[in-house]
Amino acid sequence: DVVMTQSPLSLPVTLGQPASISCRSSQSLVHSDGNAYLNWFQQRPGQSPRRLIYMVSNRDSGVPDRFSGSGSGTDFTLKISRVEAEDVGVYYCMHGTQLTFGGGTKVEIK
Amino acid sequence: EVQLLESGGGLVQPGGSLRLSCAASGFTFSSFAMSWVRQAPGKGLEWVSGISGSGGSTYYADSVKGRFTISRDNSKNTLHLHMNNLRAEDTAVYYCASNWNFQHWGQGTLVTVSS
């Protein structure tokens, strides 16, 4: 079974500063069609999850451009260029074909 | 606007059964696969089950295989999850989510398995 490992588990960030979350998969995410299906989700406190990024680097509609995704093969990164108060929550990566989530990274304000 | 509205959660005893429903609107329901994803209290996300747009193909996590059944009624734009032989470890908020990459999510319904 595929395992998605996120780091760090907790990420205290100063408002206006950048943040970076790592996601590593135990299996390659490159599908036979040549695409890599790696998604990122945000879950604010008390809310349902919301998809931010699909297929590694594509932002969903309405997602601020301070969020960006990158990576290839088995190593992926979600970056927030300048953290805002509304970005507090837990972030999950997901292997898009094995439907397996990472354990989550909690972003909080210092 | 896409909307997914779950219902049917509640308190059930171990070994009991429950049926969850998810009412969909704002998109062509029958064209999209759907899934159930759950989140135990204070824990992360776990995919539970998925179904193709036609309903002809269904998939389950090993943790629920043989106990849960996913189905859909495309005439009513509704997704269901039939849960049998429930265990304490099935206690969670259950979300329905659209397509295989979970583009849209509902607000969730809480299932509590306890005596």
Side-chain angles (χ1 to χ4, degrees):
Chain A
D1 291 352
V2 66
V3 177
M4 304 296 287
T5 302
Q6 288 183 231
S7 61
L9 293 180
S10 178
L11 184 56
V13 187
T14 301
L15 287 172
Q17 293 301 302
S20 180
I21 300 170
S22 172
C23 176
R24 178 166 292 178
S25 173
S26 63
Q27 296 178 14
S28 173
L29 274 87
V30 180
H31 191 262
S32 56
D33 64 8
N35 293 312
Y37 293 91
L38 186 284
N39 304 319
W40 288 97
F41 298 86
Q42 174 195 60
Q43 188 173 32
R44 291 169 171 155
Q47 294 188 12
S48 301
R50 166 199 183 195
R51 196 179 73 177
L52 296 177
I53 301 283
Y54 62 97
M55 291 175 64
V56 180
S57 59
N58 297 278
R59 271 191 307 276
D60 272 280
S61 175
V63 174
D65 61 7
R66 63 178 181 274
F67 290 94
S68 64
S70 63
S72 62
T74 59
D75 291 303
F76 300 88
T77 302
L78 175 70
K79 291 182 179 178
I80 310 173
S81 58
R82 296 172 305 279
V83 171
E84 298 189 6
E86 65 178 18
D87 300 335
V88 165
V90 181
Y91 292 78
Y92 297 93
C93 63
M94 188 193 86
H95 192 299
T97 54
Q98 298 297 315
L99 306 184
T100 302
F101 291 91
T105 295
K106 185 175 183 179
V107 172
E108 57 186 11
I109 305 301
K110 279 184 185 176
Chain B
E1 178 192 4
V2 172
Q3 288 195 339
L4 300 171
L5 185 62
E6 300 93 338
S7 61
L11 175 64
V12 61
Q13 292 187 340
S17 299
L18 211 55
R19 188 183 83 156
L20 306 183
S21 297
C22 170
S25 61
F27 64 105
T28 306
F29 183 68
S30 60
S31 295
F32 292 92
M34 295 291 295
S35 279
W36 289 97
V37 178
R38 69 184 180 183
Q39 185 170 36
K43 301 298 184 183
L45 301 170
E46 178 190 19
W47 172 79
V48 172
S49 181
I51 187 168
S52 63
S54 67
S57 297
T58 58
Y59 308 88
Y60 300 93
D62 287 344
S63 57
V64 306
K65 201 172 292 183
R67 299 187 299 122
F68 289 12
T69 302
I70 191 171
S71 63
R72 63 192 298 160
D73 184 341
N74 286 344
S75 69
K76 296 182 179 178
N77 288 354
T78 304
L79 176 72
H80 299 290
L81 186 67
H82 303 255
M83 304 185 294
N84 295 323
N85 191 19
L86 283 159
R87 307 166 180 167
E89 55 265 36
D90 296 317
T91 293
V93 174
Y94 285 73
Y95 298 99
C96 62
S98 68
N99 69 41
W100 292 119
N101 280 292
F102 310 156
Q103 182 177 8
H104 300 286
W105 297 65
Q107 88 291 343
T109 187
L110 176 62
V111 172
T112 303
V113 184
S114 174
S115 55

